[in-house]
Amino acid sequence: MFTRKSIEQRRVVVTGMGVLSPLGLDIKSNWDKVINAESGIGPIESFNTEGFDVTFAGEVKGFDPETYIHKKELKKMDRFIQLCLASAEMAIKDSGLDLEKLNMQRVGTLIGNGIGGLQSMESQYRVLFDRGVSRLSPFFIPSVIANLAPGHISIKYGFQGPNYTITSACASGAHAIGEATKYIRDGHCDIMIAGGTEAGVTPIAIGGFAAMKALSTRNDQPKSASRPFDQSRDGFVLSEGSAVLVLEDFEIAKKRGARIYAEVTGYGLSSDAYHMTNPAPEGRGAALSMKLCLNDAGLNPEDIQYVNAHGTSTPVGDQLESMAIESVFGTHAKNIWVSSTKGVSGHTLGAAGALESVFAIMSLVTQIAPPTANLETPGENCRLDYIPGAARSGVMNAVLNNSFGFGGTNCSLIFSKI
């Protein structure tokens, strides 16, 4: 039995969302492909992959940054910042906020990012050694620093509240949403712009992750390479993207007549305290994160109908997350639906927790749980209902989203219907 919160706190709701991913350039295109199991993975087009062990990834196609950012400003921003600014603009427009009426000191910006500006680092490294130190761009350092993603959002809109970046590997975006929720709950802010961004499809990232044997090597079958929970999974598929949410005090949102997607009711986080890259035995860190999240939401295991799993398609991670879900949900584990949307989106690293939060929220809005793409035969210790084949319709009042990262960091979020 999990106990309810003993201290009365302000309720936090989601009133706006913006998404860019390999699946599309807006919420509708992303969600349509997720529920129809249409992959956004393909051969890498942004650089020459000759000689690479892995030649495919999830790239954001058709994105024109000048739609959102003045051309002269683009040279000051790595791609991860550009993606973030675009998804933030979408989310703010989607929320219907009247910026003229906001108390800017009570609006904050918190964006998760795992790596920073790898593309600019690589390009400026080449400038340094090919053309000399005098030819380095004066915008190089500001373009690669992770906190310039929320920084540019704050500058563009004049938000004067908290403004910083969380870097916790693949849990960054989820942690950003959780921490932003606390600022509103505790009365420090009225609105938070929160999410995650990553642009890590670069030569050194593809080469580096391949060197540590973390990536799938299905170069001849890129669309079916990400296979969460399947017995033939052989690693994750690297992707890029950005997802931003507008979080708002419930009473303020209700008063202004905002459209509310969902309420953020639970936030749990933990550490494996075990290994640099491998999850703790039996998924004990992931289990603790989920338990703390349920406790924070004041919910019992049977109150959750769907889990959007971290499910990266790695041999070890998927089975340990499955074991963790079983340990937390007990007899109810056989009743809940679990899926990993990474089967179609790939793994967007620091953006994953935010992107998959959007998908979890959309499952509440539409009452449709997305399938796990490419799942044919569940692997060892993968005993849950992973929604193979096709999406399912059903009654969902509360859903949980998991995000885990290297270093043993774990984060769980619960979203509930209003």
Side-chain angles (χ1 to χ4, degrees):
M1 178 65 70
F2 296 88
T3 59
R4 292 193 172 276
K5 298 185 287 286
S6 59
I7 300 174
E8 191 65 30
Q9 295 174 314
R10 298 164 75 191
R11 296 170 68 185
V12 182
V13 294
V14 180
T15 58
M17 299 191 293
V19 175
L20 291 167
S21 87
L23 301 173
L25 307 180
D26 54 40
I27 292 174
K28 185 181 185 304
S29 57
N30 272 266
W31 185 240
D32 285 348
K33 288 188 177 179
V34 164
I35 60 175
N36 288 298
E38 296 181 23
S39 176
I41 310 303
I44 294 172
E45 298 179 3
S46 57
F47 63 89
N48 185 350
T49 58
E50 183 179 355
F52 282 73
D53 292 334
V54 175
T55 61
F56 63 97
E59 296 175 295
V60 177
K61 303 288 182 61
F63 171 59
D64 180 6
E66 290 186 42
T67 303
Y68 303 93
I69 306 162
H70 194 283
K71 185 176 182 179
K72 70 177 183 180
E73 296 296 312
L74 291 176
K75 61 185 177 182
K76 304 175 184 178
M77 306 173 189
D78 185 87
R79 184 172 171 85
F80 84 99
I81 298 174
Q82 296 172 13
L83 294 172
C84 188
L85 269 176
S87 55
E89 181 173 318
M90 291 180 204
I92 292 168
K93 286 183 177 179
D94 186 48
S95 72
L97 285 171
D98 186 343
L99 300 181
E100 298 297 322
K101 294 181 179 180
L102 299 182
N103 179 350
M104 294 302 195
Q105 294 181 3
R106 295 186 60 80
V107 183
T109 312
L110 184 47
I111 301 294
N113 176 253
I115 300 178
L118 273 186
Q119 290 192 8
S120 296
M121 291 180 194
E122 291 186 36
S123 65
Q124 289 297 296
Y125 180 88
R126 289 192 292 271
V127 168
L128 174 64
F129 284 93
D130 292 345
R131 302 170 62 190
V133 67
S134 65
R135 303 307 297 270
L136 286 172
S137 169
F139 302 117
F140 167 51
I141 297 300
S143 71
V144 302
I145 299 174
N147 81 295
L148 262 293
H152 275 290
I153 296 172
S154 172
I155 293 165
K156 179 177 179 177
Y157 296 101
F159 302 146
Q160 298 173 36
N163 161 28
Y164 64 99
T165 288
I166 286 180
T167 298
S168 52
C170 305
S172 300
H175 276 132
I177 293 170
E179 292 300 311
T181 295
K182 289 169 62 177
Y183 279 105
I184 300 173
R185 275 185 180 178
D186 295 341
H188 301 300
C189 291
D190 297 328
I191 298 167
M192 290 292 294
I193 312 302
T197 186
E198 200 81 82
V201 181
T202 73
I204 199 165
I206 291 290
F209 278 116
M212 64 185 296
K213 309 300 181 184
L215 299 180
S216 170
T217 57
R218 285 186 168 86
N219 293 313
D220 57 339
Q221 298 175 314
K223 290 189 179 301
S224 59
S226 183
R227 311 177 65 82
F229 307 110
D230 191 81
Q231 68 176 5
S232 66
R233 64 193 186 275
D234 69 331
F236 73 84
V237 175
L238 184 62
S239 292
E240 62 178 359
S242 178
V244 172
L245 280 60
V246 174
L247 306 179
E248 193 169 350
D249 173 85
F250 171 63
E251 294 299 333
I252 294 174
K254 184 172 67 172
K255 184 176 180 180
R256 72 177 181 89
R259 181 267 319 280
I260 295 173
Y261 283 106
E263 181 176 0
V264 187
T265 51
Y267 172 41
L269 60 168
S270 70
S271 176
D272 286 352
Y274 175 70
H275 189 269
M276 183 171 64
T277 56
N278 290 335
E282 300 181 351
R284 64 182 182 231
L288 177 58
S289 177
M290 286 184 275
K291 288 178 181 178
L292 293 172
C293 189
L294 284 164
N295 183 70
D296 185 55
L299 295 177
N300 297 312
E302 58 268 22
D303 295 319
I304 303 296
Q305 289 83 39
Y306 167 65
V307 175
N308 187 297
H310 186 56
T312 59
S313 184
T314 56
V316 176
D318 287 7
Q319 69 168 318
L320 292 184
E321 182 177 10
S322 294
M323 295 168 69
I325 291 171
E326 285 187 309
S327 72
V328 171
F329 289 91
T331 57
H332 181 57
K334 67 179 183 296
N335 300 319
I336 59 173
W337 295 341
V338 178
S339 71
S340 171
T341 47
K342 289 185 177 74
V344 291
S345 70
H347 192 356
T348 55
L349 305 182
L355 178 63
E356 288 149 25
S357 288
V358 170
F359 296 152
I361 291 166
M362 288 302 295
S363 71
L364 280 178
V365 172
T366 63
Q367 294 291 282
I368 298 173
T372 300
N374 305 315
L375 175 57
E376 297 174 355
T377 303
E380 183 181 2
N381 293 319
C382 296
R383 298 177 285 260
L384 302 170
D385 183 349
Y386 303 106
I387 321 181
R392 291 184 195 158
S393 298
V395 178
M396 289 174 277
N397 295 308
V399 300
L400 185 146
N401 179 43
N402 279 332
S403 299
F404 313 132
F406 284 173
T409 184
N410 307 297
C411 181
S412 301
L413 296 165
I414 291 176
F415 302 96
S416 301
K417 283 190 70 176
I418 273 292

